[in-house]
Amino acid sequence: MVGRKSGRALLREEGLQRTDNNLDLTTWPQVNMINQKNYYTDFLKRDDQILTFRLQAEENRNRMTKAARDRDRALAHGQNGLPYTEPDADVDDDMAMEDGAISEAYGSKTIVVHPGSQNLRLGLATDALPKTVPMVIARKAHESEAEADGAEPRPKRMKLDDGSWPTEPEKWFGEEFAAEYNTMAAEFRTYRRNNKRKVLPNSRELVVNWNTRTPPETIYEHNDPLRIDWTELPSDPGDAPDFFTGHAALRIPEKSNPRYRLYWPLQHGWLNEQDYSNKNLLYRDFFTIIEEAIKTQLGLRRKKDWAQYSCVLIIPDLYEKVLVSAVLQEMLRDFGFQRVCFIQESLAASFGAGYSISCIVDVGAQKTSICCVEEGMCVDQSRINLKYGGADVTETFIKMMLFDRLNYSDINLKRRHDWLLAEELKQKFCVMDDTNTSVMLFEFHLRAHGQNTRKYQWKAYDEPMLAPLGFFRPTIFDHSRKMLGRRSLIDGSKDLYDGTPNDPTTNSQLAILQSAAQNLPGAVVAKPSGPNAPGSIVPVSTPNRQQAVSAINRLHDLEGTPRSSVAGSPPPEESETPQPAAGDATPAVTYNSVQGPQPDTEVQDRTVPIMPIDQAILASIGAGAGNDDRRMRDFLGGIMVIGGGAKFPGFTTYLEQRLRVLMPNYGKEILIGPPPRELDPQVLVWKGGSVFAKLGRTNDSWIGQMEYDRLGARVLNYKCMWAW
């Protein structure tokens, strides 16, 4: 019988005994576990750890080093008999110093770009005034814009059951427009009587009778000294360019061979998703217009020279992050600019005017933005963006004249020459001063390609005054197509972590959306699917003054709600909670007990933000001032109206009167001042951008190529002057 073996003998015989002499399994150092109860890190908690700030500090060190070397060199030359002059601290390094003189003005290598829905304004920062280019591109197509959609004219005429138009122009635009127009006319007569003006009872009949009986006069081309130079196309259609931009696009004949169709990449301050079916083509047209304008208007034909230039982009106060990020990428990657920075429109206007505190009312062609600016910053909660402007006045003016039997009844704003004619008529004849309002005789010349010039004489009474009054009664405007196609191509920006929408919005804007969804007819577009037809409009009740004032008062409730709270905030009282209107017009604001008012993005993207401009101004100022009476008085005394959409004589005076009626306790403080130094209100925003471009080393918002290559669009979090 074999004896029992020890454990050590078994390990040796089985090969399990350890023979590595206690050597480690690897030469890599082993890190012990961290005591999670007591550890700390300062990663990305200091400014000197962030790339953008490190580059800025390095640039400052290099500037100081260069200044010290230049000083030593100048002192050395001074010992040799040359005088020494102390360098100017305000002079930037980019201004090359040669023999004590500046070789070129600072800003001569900086391009300032301000894109708008109707016009693009750009120029060098050293220019006195910008170049203005229509924000339009004409591309080859099977049919022109006037021939599309069954050649339906604009303004759209209502058709009978048999498909024909009514013989009476009073029925062309429906009963709602006729009722609104007649109501405005009656209120205008009452307004004139209260101002001790003479009112003739048969003024409208005199206008209708004259326009019905007066035919146009034909002027042959050789007798017309102001004939139009149309864009010439080559005789061979195959040699025709693929596109035209700017003024040349608007002067292409309607019946050209080949056909061209106009596209406006920006509409109502947004990317025009309605007329495009491809996102890439939309972006390409937007940047092509800017690129061609830089080449033709600034003379920079070679893109390889653009690397020597910087660019300042002026963006809306309530911008869209997707568009700003796309612009930043295009300007640095494709255009190849040396550096790029952004500035908001209202802030640029305050720079151009030199105001430290003001309420900026920017009335554009298709949008109106309102924002309070204080000490070089936009007051966040005061930003408002309304989707109407000068183009709505143009269309309404044409509808009113057609309603009163204008003898050029075939006018169609889809035709290029008719659209230019309508803009000319609005700029010449529309006023907001009833001093000289009476039955007056006007005339215009119609110039179309391939036709003799026709001279029209027509009479008007209150139409030139009532059309601009639409700013104070936006229900007269047509809002039916303003939200069509919204979010069909480009989604809104969303938070990287929780996926919630993070485009900037304000309590003021949300309150206007909420008020419009409940009280204004045609403000909410129906859902694309469901029992309602796509693009149909949900009818709701017409607002009264009490409803509008309550919408303004709700701003204080929304502003007073804390944005964050551990315990949570109670919801508003049931009596103050807005109730959804009939149909699909649900409120555009929901309430979160922790984060306060939150936008319902689905409804928000289908609601047209519209409100009378005087009430919107008070809503913006109320949100910007809060409960501070001093700030309220400062904003009311610093209202400045800019933009080309409201260049009507007497507009600011009439607006002051309306504001004093709404705010009788602040009647003496309300003051609307014109832009200083007799600046054109249309170019004031661009002028402010040019001032911002020449700030020199005090401007820390420039984004360079290396920063964008490493951080991408995230660099905007550190470089924007506002909370991105």
Side-chain angles (χ1 to χ4, degrees):
M1 181 175 179
V2 180
R4 183 177 180 182
K5 297 182 179 180
S6 64
R8 181 176 299 179
L10 290 176
L11 290 176
R12 184 173 57 254
E13 293 178 1
E14 298 293 335
L16 300 178
Q17 186 177 4
R18 181 171 179 172
T19 59
D20 55 0
N21 298 324
N22 295 326
L23 295 178
D24 294 332
L25 298 178
T26 177
T27 59
W28 288 93
Q30 298 182 8
V31 181
N32 297 326
M33 296 294 294
I34 298 177
N35 182 5
Q36 297 186 5
K37 294 183 179 180
N38 186 18
Y39 71 91
Y40 174 79
T41 178
D42 60 354
F43 178 66
L44 291 183
K45 291 185 178 180
R46 301 197 310 268
D47 290 346
D48 56 0
Q49 296 177 334
I50 300 175
L51 175 64
T52 55
F53 298 130
R54 294 205 315 267
L55 294 177
Q56 182 178 341
E58 182 180 355
E59 182 180 355
N60 293 333
R61 287 195 300 268
N62 294 337
R63 184 184 295 113
M64 294 174 59
T65 303
K66 182 178 181 299
R69 291 176 180 174
D70 292 343
R71 184 175 183 275
D72 294 341
R73 188 180 297 110
L75 289 174
H77 284 292
Q79 294 176 359
N80 296 331
L82 296 178
Y84 166 71
T85 57
E86 188 71 23
D88 189 357
D90 295 332
V91 175
D92 197 274
D93 294 337
D94 295 337
M95 295 188 291
M97 305 295 293
E98 296 180 0
D99 298 331
I102 299 177
S103 61
E104 61 182 15
Y106 184 63
S108 60
K109 294 290 186 179
T110 304
I111 301 174
V112 183
V113 181
H114 181 205
S117 300
Q118 185 167 311
N119 291 312
L120 167 69
R121 292 184 172 87
L122 78 166
L124 298 176
T126 53
D127 294 341
L129 295 174
K131 307 294 190 302
T132 301
V133 180
M135 193 70 184
V136 62
I137 184 171
R139 289 193 175 274
K140 287 183 178 180
H142 298 291
E143 55 186 6
S144 65
E145 64 277 4
E147 299 169 337
D149 301 329
E152 184 179 84
R154 185 168 66 92
K156 182 179 179 181
R157 277 75 156 174
M158 304 294 292
K159 293 184 179 180
L160 300 175
D161 296 336
D162 57 358
S164 61
W165 290 342
T167 57
E168 303 86 354
E170 296 84 356
K171 300 180 180 179
W172 281 359
F173 308 111
E175 297 179 356
E176 294 183 2
F177 176 81
E180 286 285 336
Y181 182 28
N182 292 329
T183 302
M184 292 181 66
E187 293 177 354
F188 181 64
R189 288 194 297 269
T190 304
Y191 173 78
R192 284 178 55 80
R193 290 192 183 97
N194 295 336
N195 290 342
K196 309 301 182 182
R197 311 292 189 193
K198 184 178 179 180
V199 179
L200 297 177
N202 60 339
S203 300
R204 183 67 58 83
E205 289 76 9
L206 294 175
V207 171
V208 172
N209 293 334
W210 170 272
N211 293 339
T212 305
R213 297 195 310 264
T214 306
E217 176 186 351
T218 302
I219 301 177
Y220 294 100
E221 185 177 2
H222 61 274
N223 292 329
D224 185 8
L226 300 177
R227 56 184 178 270
I228 297 175
D229 294 331
W230 301 95
T231 301
E232 296 184 0
L233 299 177
S235 56
D236 186 2
D239 297 336
D242 293 334
F243 63 87
F244 289 91
T245 61
H247 296 285
L250 295 176
R251 292 304 185 186
I252 300 176
E254 299 285 344
K255 304 295 183 181
S256 63
N257 185 21
R259 291 284 196 275
Y260 283 85
R261 183 170 181 176
L262 298 184
Y263 292 93
W264 303 81
L266 285 182
Q267 289 285 273
H268 310 293
W270 291 325
L271 287 173
N272 184 8
E273 301 175 70
Q274 176 183 345
D275 297 335
Y276 285 85
S277 58
N278 185 279
K279 178 177 67 174
N280 295 331
L281 181 60
L282 174 57
Y283 278 124
R284 185 172 65 180
D285 283 357
F286 176 77
F287 293 115
T288 298
I289 296 173
I290 299 177
E291 178 180 347
E292 292 298 317
I294 294 175
K295 291 180 179 179
T296 57
Q297 302 297 322
L298 304 183
L300 303 177
R301 296 285 181 178
R302 300 184 303 176
K303 293 187 68 173
K304 64 179 182 180
D305 296 335
W306 295 6
Q308 307 173 11
Y309 288 80
S310 304
C311 184
V312 174
L313 269 299
I314 303 175
I315 61 175
D317 304 326
L318 287 176
Y319 52 88
E320 293 190 315
K321 292 187 176 181
V322 173
L323 178 58
V324 176
S325 301
V327 169
L328 176 61
Q329 178 180 357
E330 187 74 12
M331 293 297 171
L332 291 177
R333 293 286 175 82
D334 186 55
F335 286 20
F337 287 128
Q338 181 182 8
R339 53 183 185 172
V340 175
C341 71
F342 297 93
I343 182 173
Q344 294 168 296
E345 289 177 339
S346 295
L347 182 58
S350 67
F351 271 92
Y355 289 176
S356 60
I357 181 169
S358 177
C359 177
I360 306 297
V361 182
D362 187 357
V363 184
Q366 299 180 5
K367 72 174 179 65
T368 298
S369 61
I370 307 171
C371 179
C372 295
V373 180
E374 185 179 20
E375 299 298 337
M377 292 294 292
C378 293
V379 182
D380 287 342
Q381 296 302 325
S382 68
R383 294 175 294 174
I384 288 177
N385 195 305
L386 306 174
K387 298 306 177 184
Y388 58 74
D392 296 274
V393 176
T394 303
E395 183 173 351
T396 304
F397 183 44
I398 297 300
K399 293 169 70 172
M400 289 180 176
M401 292 194 301
L402 291 174
F403 191 92
D404 293 338
R405 308 295 181 95
L406 178 68
N407 43 13
Y408 180 36
S409 60
D410 194 33
I411 188 171
N412 180 8
L413 297 185
K414 286 186 177 180
R415 292 198 292 255
R416 298 153 198 171
H417 59 269
D418 281 348
W419 180 79
L420 294 173
L421 172 64
E423 286 288 326
E424 180 184 356
L425 295 179
K426 178 195 69 174
Q427 296 172 6
K428 282 186 176 181
F429 304 128
C430 284
V431 297
M432 294 201 69
D433 184 5
D434 69 324
T435 304
N436 299 321
T437 300
S438 62
V439 178
M440 301 180 65
L441 180 64
F442 304 102
E443 66 178 30
F444 64 85
H445 294 78
L446 175 63
R447 298 177 176 91
H449 184 266
Q451 303 177 18
N452 292 322
T453 302
R454 284 170 285 173
K455 178 182 177 181
Y456 286 86
Q457 289 186 327
W458 53 283
K459 284 189 176 182
Y461 171 55
D462 54 0
E463 299 91 336
M465 178 80 178
L466 295 183
L469 279 177
F471 287 119
F472 304 89
R473 193 184 183 98
T475 52
I476 195 66
F477 295 151
D478 183 13
H479 308 287
S480 59
R481 299 183 60 84
K482 293 183 179 179
M483 302 299 294
L484 297 183
R486 178 70 172 158
R487 300 302 185 197
S488 60
L489 297 178
I490 303 173
D491 295 331
S493 177
K494 296 183 179 179
D495 188 84
L496 182 63
Y497 298 100
D498 56 14
T500 58
N502 62 354
D503 276 328
T505 187
T506 64
N507 293 335
S508 309
Q509 186 75 4
L510 295 179
I512 287 180
L513 288 170
Q514 190 174 10
S515 175
Q518 295 180 11
N519 303 323
L520 295 181
V524 181
V525 181
K527 294 182 179 180
S529 60
N532 297 326
S536 61
I537 305 301
V538 178
V540 290
S541 59
T542 304
N544 53 34
R545 179 181 176 184
Q546 181 179 1
Q547 292 171 332
V549 174
S550 64
I552 299 175
N553 295 335
R554 280 199 300 270
L555 291 172
H556 298 284
D557 300 334
L558 295 174
E559 181 68 20
T561 304
R563 295 296 296 171
S564 61
S565 174
V566 178
S569 303
E573 296 294 335
E574 185 176 359
S575 59
E576 298 180 0
T577 303
Q579 299 298 324
D584 194 43
T586 54
V589 180
T590 57
Y591 198 89
N592 185 291
S593 60
V594 176
Q595 297 182 351
Q598 298 294 316
D600 185 349
T601 55
E602 181 183 0
V603 178
Q604 185 179 356
D605 291 337
R606 293 187 289 109
T607 305
V608 186
I610 47 180
M611 176 181 278
I613 189 172
D614 51 346
Q615 300 171 11
I617 291 174
L618 296 182
S620 175
I621 293 177
N627 298 324
D628 192 339
D629 185 71
R630 180 189 60 82
R631 297 179 68 192
M632 172 75 73
R633 297 178 185 274
D634 291 340
F635 288 139
L636 289 174
I639 301 174
M640 184 172 60
V641 179
I642 62 175
K647 288 185 63 176
F648 307 111
F651 179 81
T652 56
T653 303
Y654 187 85
L655 179 58
E656 276 188 4
Q657 297 176 1
R658 295 292 295 261
L659 292 176
R660 290 192 175 101
V661 171
L662 293 177
M663 300 286 287
N665 296 333
Y666 296 89
K668 296 181 179 180
E669 285 79 9
I670 295 176
L671 178 63
I672 301 178
R677 300 183 297 276
E678 298 182 356
L679 287 174
D680 187 355
Q682 296 183 97
V683 302
L684 183 64
V685 173
W686 182 93
K687 194 66 178 178
S690 67
V691 174
F692 177 74
K694 294 182 288 187
L695 287 180
R697 65 182 60 177
T698 58
N699 184 1
D700 298 332
S701 59
W702 289 106
I703 301 174
Q705 293 276 358
M706 185 180 69
E707 296 169 282
Y708 184 77
D709 290 340
R710 296 188 180 183
L711 298 179
R714 291 179 297 166
V715 73
L716 293 169
N717 294 318
Y718 308 108
K719 287 295 187 177
C720 288
M721 297 186 298
W722 61 91
W724 172 260

